[in-house]
Amino acid sequence: DNTISDECPPECPDADGDGEVGVLDLGLVIGAWGTPDIDSDFDGDGVVGIHDLLDLLEAWGSCGS
């Protein structure tokens, strides 16, 4: 009964690791702006910027919902 997906599920942009995307994550992304902070670089381009912020806002709320 196992299945293998053709695509990986999107990762949750949860910078503080609490299972929710919210104001604490927003503060961490803003605080890391322009740096290579791996906890806030959700798009993996090596720097925290606008696309990371947009990823966070799109996923706002509970991860996996």
Side-chain angles (χ1 to χ4, degrees), residues 22-44:
V23 71
L24 295 177
D25 302 296
L26 178 60
L28 290 170
V29 169
I30 291 170
W33 197 267
T35 72
D37 184 323
I38 61 171
D39 292 326
S40 297
D41 180 21
F42 308 125
D43 66 359

Side-chain angles (χ1 to χ4, degrees), residues 3-62:
T3 61
I4 298 174
S5 176
D6 290 335
E7 296 181 19
C8 295
E11 291 193 26
C12 180
D14 180 18
D16 66 357
D18 69 354
E20 297 280 329
V21 178
V23 71
L24 295 177
D25 302 296
L26 178 60
L28 290 170
V29 169
I30 291 170
W33 197 267
T35 72
D37 184 323
I38 61 171
D39 292 326
S40 297
D41 180 21
F42 308 125
D43 66 359
D45 69 353
V47 66
V48 179
I50 189 66
H51 294 114
D52 304 299
L53 177 61
L54 293 174
D55 287 348
L56 181 135
L57 294 174
E58 183 178 349
W60 197 268
S62 180

